[in-house]
Amino acid sequence: MLSGTGRRTGVVALVLVCAALLSLVLALSIGPTTIPVSSFLPSDVFGAVSALLSGGDAAPFFPDETAGLIVYSVRLPRVLAAFLVGAGLAAAGTAMQGLFRNSMADPYIIGTSSGAALGAAVAIVFLGGLFLPVFAFVGATAATFLVYALATRNGRAPVETLLLTGVALSMFFSAILSFLMYSAGKSLHQIIYWMMGGFWTVGWGDISLAVVIVAGGIILIAYAKDLNILSLGEEDAVHLGVNVESFKRILLFVSSFITGIAVAIAGSIGFIGLITPHVMRLIVGPDHRILFPTAMVAGGIFLLWADTVTRTFMGDMPVGVITAFVGAPFFIFLLRGRSRV
């Protein structure tokens, strides 16, 4: 029989899954032009899926061919990308908050997103966008390990030093980005797109890349038990058989990998990795075996609705603006709460 905590976790998980499915359907329906759900439900699901996967014409399988074309060619890849990128950033934020044992750590705050954006900008300016995901990943990884190395003294990385180092390196990367923008010429518009964050040009090709985020999330969930042990303290983790330094490198590598892929798809979107793990930790507790999957679903829902709101009511404004409007006050709230401790 499940305990009270187990029942509550089960209810939360069920609510999140239902909310995610409902959000996905509503996001397909809502937009500059509202499309009734009945208009894009295919009469032959297998035929429609086969046509979509083979690149064929799926329009005849829908009651309203125009509605089917809009939903499955334009909205569906965007909706899936927003959900997967939100889930990935939430997973990376959860890993970093657990690793650094601080609720203020996330890929945006400690410079990982800035490093990925810089890598993407280098690929745009010098290679015309070729190998952009690779450069975004290399930039994210290099930034994360550089921040960690600079903040570490005598084998320890104090949280305040880590955050300040992340902010300083983010500003340094921004300076390099500004120089690249100054000398970018025709590539300037594309770089600005990566800096603001959005899903304007997402297509089915990006979904195949976004699926990799799921693999990264599964790897992080597999290490959730070790992360729970690490939360007891590094000395205790060593005594319980965890290779702490190797574990840290794996977690940082996978988190950077997820962040790099997310930035390659949608540009630099901040605060998803800060807000969702913290909120879900208050609801389901600190056990990372539960926290990872719930935070990923919550992060996916958050970014999905942020993107739906901006493309429906705000003239397709960069979604990063909305997440920053929510995330920046939340970060200040956390910082003030920490200063009172």
Side-chain angles (χ1 to χ4, degrees), residues 221-244:
I221 293 173
Y223 282 100
K225 184 178 178 181
D226 287 344
L227 196 55
N228 286 342
I229 296 174
L230 186 63
S231 66
L232 301 174
E234 293 189 11
E235 290 186 4
D236 290 334
V238 170
H239 290 309
L240 291 171
V242 177
N243 187 335
V244 172

Side-chain angles (χ1 to χ4, degrees), residues 35 175 196 259:
I35 299 175
M196 292 190 295
T259 304

Side-chain angles (χ1 to χ4, degrees), residues 236-257:
D236 290 334
V238 170
H239 290 309
L240 291 171
V242 177
N243 187 335
V244 172
E245 293 307 318
S246 175
F247 177 63
K248 284 181 179 177
R249 287 193 290 270
I250 291 173
L251 223 57
L252 284 174
F253 181 84
V254 176
S255 301
S256 303
F257 173 76

Side-chain angles (χ1 to χ4, degrees), residues 4-30:
T5 304
R7 282 196 296 272
R8 189 181 68 172
T9 301
V11 170
V12 171
L14 181 62
V15 169
L16 281 174
V17 170
C18 293
L21 294 175
L22 183 62
S23 298
L24 288 169
V25 174
L26 291 177
L28 291 176
S29 177
I30 298 172

Side-chain angles (χ1 to χ4, degrees), residues 38-264:
S38 58
S39 298
F40 58 84
L41 291 179
S43 55
D44 181 355
V45 175
F46 293 106
V49 171
S50 300
L52 287 169
L53 293 178
S54 63
D57 183 12
F61 295 99
F62 300 102
D64 185 332
E65 293 189 10
T66 303
L69 183 65
I70 293 173
V71 168
Y72 289 94
S73 299
V74 180
R75 290 187 185 175
L76 183 56
R78 181 166 178 161
V79 164
L80 292 177
F83 185 84
L84 291 173
V85 167
L89 292 175
T94 304
M96 289 184 176
Q97 290 179 12
L99 180 62
F100 299 127
R101 280 170 282 170
N102 187 277
S103 58
M104 291 190 293
D106 92 322
Y108 192 77
I109 299 297
I110 69 169
T112 306
S113 296
S114 300
L118 178 59
V122 169
I124 291 170
V125 173
F126 297 107
L127 299 174
L130 195 65
F131 302 121
L132 193 150
V134 176
F135 274 76
F137 165 65
V138 171
T141 306
T144 305
F145 279 92
L146 184 58
V147 168
Y148 186 73
L150 290 175
T152 300
R153 289 289 184 273
N154 300 320
R156 298 189 62 188
V159 173
E160 288 77 8
T161 306
L162 185 75
L163 295 176
L164 291 174
T165 305
V167 171
L169 274 182
S170 292
M171 295 176 67
F172 178 69
F173 293 148
S174 296
I176 299 176
L177 266 175
S178 299
F179 173 76
L180 289 176
M181 291 170 63
Y182 176 76
S183 56
K186 295 181 179 178
S187 302
L188 177 61
H189 177 76
Q190 200 173 354
I191 294 177
I192 291 176
Y193 159 75
W194 291 110
M195 290 181 64
M196 292 190 295
F199 296 90
W200 306 286
T201 60
V202 165
W204 282 107
D206 297 295
I207 299 303
S208 58
L209 182 63
V211 170
V212 180
I213 291 175
V214 179
I218 292 173
I219 293 174
L220 290 179
I221 293 173
Y223 282 100
K225 184 178 178 181
D226 287 344
L227 196 55
N228 286 342
I229 296 174
L230 186 63
S231 66
L232 301 174
E234 293 189 11
E235 290 186 4
D236 290 334
V238 170
H239 290 309
L240 291 171
V242 177
N243 187 335
V244 172
E245 293 307 318
S246 175
F247 177 63
K248 284 181 179 177
R249 287 193 290 270
I250 291 173
L251 223 57
L252 284 174
F253 181 84
V254 176
S255 301
S256 303
F257 173 76
I258 292 174
T259 304
I261 296 297
V263 172

